[in-house]
């Protein structure tokens, strides 16, 4: 992960003295002084590597500045990480949670730094061709393991409402899209939203859903395709497992210019096909198939476009987290157009 580190960026500074005092009070065996660097990847919550003596941690905080209501709830992340780790699911250990914004300027939590590899592109170009099928297999197995956990039994029964996930998500993201005047409106996005509202949602199911399960939110072992940690749980909730899976799958419908695989020669890259991933997930979860897959992908393209629309708004307001935020925000019109095209294609099938 070290290649994604840089100095703490302007506007995201932390008083290391106050942070050191808090860590010493709440993390067993902590000794300063602290050195901070900031991860450059990710678009949501500012993330730092915290070094203290021989120990290394990761700090995730809520961004400073004006935020949309309900966004960037880092304390929810800490809740789900703690519960999942008790079940042996691969997530980092949480060492401490701070709700007091006065300590560093916003709520935060501190977790273990998991050493390993993050692949920043959908085709895992930094991996060898021989490893790629195993990486894609590990992703499916990890997602299936997550969806197989009993939320009530592991203390996450109140982590979200178990019914009506898709309609609620459409309502939530449409509200944020329509409310964020700084980011502007888009005809394709409006058409896609109308299409989703007019169609009945697929039959309800409920599971623990990551909400952003893609390869750059996963950490793999340094030398093997073993999945060692799933990170960035900001969008996690109790949700429809097939919506969560389709979000992971939609890279197959997106071109490389948008971070996808649609225009990549999968065979030459030794990457499993979309159908192979569908079959692998169905085997791992005991399903016969996914008849509403096109709907779920259109839904996820809307949701993803809405997330990027939010980044566009943060760029306009000047509190975007990532230095790549402006480039990401510029992809919004293309994503909205792709989502609307997927909806029209679903109508014809």
């Amino acid at each position: 992960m070290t290649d994604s580190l840089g100095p703490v960026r302007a506007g995201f500074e932390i008083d290391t003295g106050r942070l050191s005092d808090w860590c010493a009070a709440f993390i067993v065996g902590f000794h300063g002084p602290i050195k901070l660097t900031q991860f450059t990847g990710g678009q949501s919550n500012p993330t730092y590597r915290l070094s203290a003596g021989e120990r290394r941690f990761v700090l995730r905080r809520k961004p400073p500045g004006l935020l949309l209501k309900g966004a960037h709830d880092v304390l929810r992340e800490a809740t789900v990480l703690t519960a999942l780790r008790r079940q042996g699911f691969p997530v980092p250990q949480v060492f401490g949670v701070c709700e007091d914004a006065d300590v560093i300027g916003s709520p935060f939590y501190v977790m273990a730094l998991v050493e390993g590899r993050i692949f920043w592109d959908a085709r895992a170009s930094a991996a060898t061709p021989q490893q790629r099928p195993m990486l894609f297999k590990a992703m499916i197995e990890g997602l299936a393991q997550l969806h197989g956990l009993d939320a009530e039994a592991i203390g996450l029964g109140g982590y979200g409402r178990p019914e009506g996930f898709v309609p609620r998500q459409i309502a939530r993201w449409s509200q944020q899209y329509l409310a964020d005047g700084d980011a502007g409106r888009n005809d394709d996005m409006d058409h896609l939203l109308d299409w989703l509202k007019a169609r009945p949602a697929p039959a309800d199911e409920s599971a623990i859903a990551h909400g952003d399960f893609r390869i750059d939110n996963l950490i793999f072992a340094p030398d093997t395709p073993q999945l060692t940690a799933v990170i960035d749980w900001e969008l996690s909730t109790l949700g429809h497992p097939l919506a969560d899976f389709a979000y992971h799958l939609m890279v197959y419908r997106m071109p490389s210019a948008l971070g996808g695989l649609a225009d990549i020669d999968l065979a030459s890259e030794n990457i499993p096909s979309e159908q192979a991933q569908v079959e692998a997930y169905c085997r791992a979860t005991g399903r016969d198939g996914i008849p509403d897959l096109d709907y779920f992908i259109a839904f996820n393209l809307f949701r993803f476009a809405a997330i990027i629309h939010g980044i566009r708004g943060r760029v306009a307001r000047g509190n975007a987290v990532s230095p790549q935020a402006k480039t990401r925000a510029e992809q919004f019109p293309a994503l909205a157009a792709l989502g609307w095209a997927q909806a029209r294609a679903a109508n014809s099938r």
Side-chain angles (χ1 to χ4, degrees), residues 11-253:
F12 298 94
E13 298 90 347
I14 288 176
D15 184 329
T16 55
R18 298 199 67 182
L19 177 59
S20 182
D21 290 343
W22 184 90
C23 289
F26 291 98
I27 299 177
V28 176
F30 184 92
H31 299 286
I34 283 175
K35 178 183 178 182
L36 284 179
T37 48
Q38 189 170 0
F39 288 99
T40 57
Q43 301 287 343
S44 52
N45 294 317
T47 306
Y48 307 77
R49 188 176 75 169
L50 190 163
S51 302
E54 298 299 317
R55 300 178 72 182
R56 303 289 182 269
F57 305 88
V58 172
L59 182 149
R60 290 265 287 175
R61 67 180 294 197
K62 196 169 189 173
L66 178 66
L67 301 172
L68 293 176
K69 183 179 179 180
H72 306 279
D73 190 347
V74 293
L75 305 185
R76 275 180 60 82
E77 292 184 37
T79 297
V80 73
L81 287 170
T82 301
L84 292 177
R85 186 169 176 83
R86 292 194 191 108
Q87 305 307 308
F89 188 80
V91 290
Q93 179 181 359
V94 174
F95 290 108
V97 177
C98 180
E99 301 182 35
D100 184 0
D102 290 339
V103 176
I104 66 169
S106 59
F108 67 94
Y109 69 93
V110 177
M111 61 181 168
L113 174 69
V114 178
E115 298 288 356
R117 294 178 296 168
I118 295 181
F119 299 102
W120 295 105
D121 60 326
R123 60 178 172 170
S125 58
T128 65
Q130 293 75 23
Q131 283 190 336
R132 286 182 194 136
M134 293 181 283
L135 291 171
F136 277 70
K137 179 175 183 285
M139 285 192 280
I140 290 295
E141 290 175 346
L143 192 57
Q145 180 187 358
L146 177 66
H147 293 166
L149 293 172
D150 184 330
E152 190 72 39
I154 69 172
L156 291 175
Y159 196 62
R161 288 166 54 191
E163 71 288 330
F165 172 77
V166 171
R168 286 201 320 276
Q169 285 285 296
I170 293 170
R172 173 193 173 183
W173 291 108
S174 61
Q175 182 181 29
Q176 293 208 10
Y177 163 65
L178 295 171
D180 197 344
D182 294 328
R185 295 282 290 274
N186 175 279
D187 287 344
D188 290 321
M189 191 71 164
D190 289 344
H191 292 320
L192 178 55
L193 175 55
D194 290 341
W195 182 86
L196 287 167
K197 287 182 174 180
R199 292 186 51 116
D204 246 349
E205 294 184 40
S206 181
I208 301 167
H210 180 271
D212 197 11
F213 197 92
R214 57 189 188 187
I215 198 167
D216 57 332
N217 281 332
L218 310 175
I219 301 176
F220 294 88
D223 301 313
T224 72
Q226 178 187 358
L227 178 60
T228 57
V230 181
I231 58 175
D232 199 351
W233 291 81
E234 180 194 348
L235 297 174
S236 62
T237 188
L238 299 187
H240 202 304
L242 294 182
D244 209 28
F245 170 63
Y247 181 88
H248 161 72
L249 203 69
M250 72 180 179
V251 292
Y252 286 97
R253 312 286 180 99

